[in-house]
Amino acid sequence: GFVKDEINHIDYLIKKFQPNLILYELLENKKLLILRDIDKFLSNSDNKEFSLISKYGELKDVITIARKNNIPIVGCDLKNMGRKDKFVMNKELSKRELKKEEKILEKRESYQIKIIKTQLKNYGNIFVILGAWHVRKDSQIIKNLKRGVVVFPTYNGLSNFSLKDIKDFNKIVYNLFDINRYLK
């Protein structure tokens, strides 16, 4: 969500792959299946809280792409991403907080796998938008998929980076792999 031209890449890939459904992690557990649902979502103020994690404005670019292409869009995560309290990015976590966060991430990935598999059966060709953490080679999600394409950014050749690491946005490279080749 912090890569400068991410929306342009998403738009390009959706045009290229022409999915029947978009699954979007930040939409959490919401479903926008018809244009009226999408328009209602887009009518919310950008600053209005969507959940403990995000505001409506932070999701609108992707929702607008779904609307422009007349594609239903469904959340593929737990409400509030499985949290009871606001999550502070870039905060040093204690050992106890790290353990709690690991459990939340495991629960989220299990849920995401279930949604992805269900929607693959229902829609066939789907486009899944997840954070980079979920497309690491040892993630439950990647290990559970048999076919598909994985697209992810790297910065200076590294797939694990944060906003504070980026000194030059021109050094961000998008990588595209067949999932079976990605796992090798």
Side-chain angles (χ1 to χ4, degrees):
F2 54 78
V3 178
K4 189 169 105 178
D5 58 352
E6 178 179 72
I7 293 303
N8 292 331
H9 287 280
I10 290 170
D11 193 36
Y12 169 80
L13 290 167
I14 285 175
K15 287 176 183 159
K16 189 86 172 153
F17 290 106
Q18 300 180 351
N20 301 318
L21 175 76
I22 298 170
L23 291 180
Y24 186 32
E25 178 181 36
L26 292 182
L27 194 53
E28 297 177 2
N29 63 342
K30 300 288 185 228
K31 295 179 180 181
L32 307 175
L33 299 174
I34 57 176
L35 289 177
R36 184 177 61 220
D37 296 338
I38 292 174
D39 288 341
K40 183 176 178 185
F41 182 95
L42 292 171
S43 72
N44 284 284
S45 164
D46 287 358
N47 293 325
K48 182 178 176 185
E49 289 204 4
F50 172 71
S51 71
L52 286 174
I53 307 303
S54 58
K55 297 183 184 305
Y56 277 89
E58 296 168 338
L59 285 75
K60 284 186 176 182
D61 285 340
V62 173
I63 304 300
T64 300
I65 290 171
R67 189 194 191 299
K68 179 175 79 175
N69 291 284
N70 197 20
I71 303 171
I73 184 166
V74 171
C76 60
D77 207 334
L78 300 169
K79 177 154 180 60
N80 296 317
M81 293 189 179
R83 294 177 176 84
K84 292 182 174 87
D85 302 306
K86 281 200 177 268
F87 182 73
V88 180
M89 293 291 284
N90 298 324
K91 175 189 166 211
E92 281 293 320
L93 300 178
S94 68
K95 285 184 180 182
R96 189 170 146 252
E97 289 171 321
L98 277 172
K99 198 70 143 165
K100 184 178 176 183
E101 187 61 22
E102 284 175 20
K103 286 184 181 182
I104 290 171
L105 286 169
E106 284 177 24
K107 189 175 178 181
R108 287 177 60 206
E109 284 194 343
S110 293
Y111 180 80
Q112 289 169 339
I113 291 165
K114 182 178 129 190
I115 297 298
I116 291 167
K117 287 183 173 184
T118 298
Q119 299 305 353
L120 270 171
K121 287 178 188 170
N122 294 339
Y123 287 90
N125 185 21
I126 65 173
F127 188 85
V128 184
I129 304 170
L130 301 172
W133 172 258
H134 302 294
V135 294
R136 68 195 191 286
K137 289 184 180 184
D138 65 339
S139 81
Q140 293 180 51
I141 295 166
I142 295 299
K143 288 180 176 180
N144 273 278
L145 295 177
K146 305 287 185 244
R147 60 187 170 85
V149 174
V150 179
V151 179
F152 62 94
T154 56
Y155 178 69
N156 282 334
L158 301 172
S159 58
N160 189 9
F161 63 94
S162 70
L163 181 58
K164 67 181 184 213
D165 298 327
I166 302 172
K167 307 292 185 253
D168 181 358
F169 279 94
N170 293 319
K171 292 186 178 181
I172 295 171
V173 175
Y174 280 85
N175 303 272
L176 185 142
F177 287 99
D178 174 275
I179 199 162
N180 295 308
R181 187 170 154 237
Y182 179 64
L183 289 171
K184 288 183 181 178

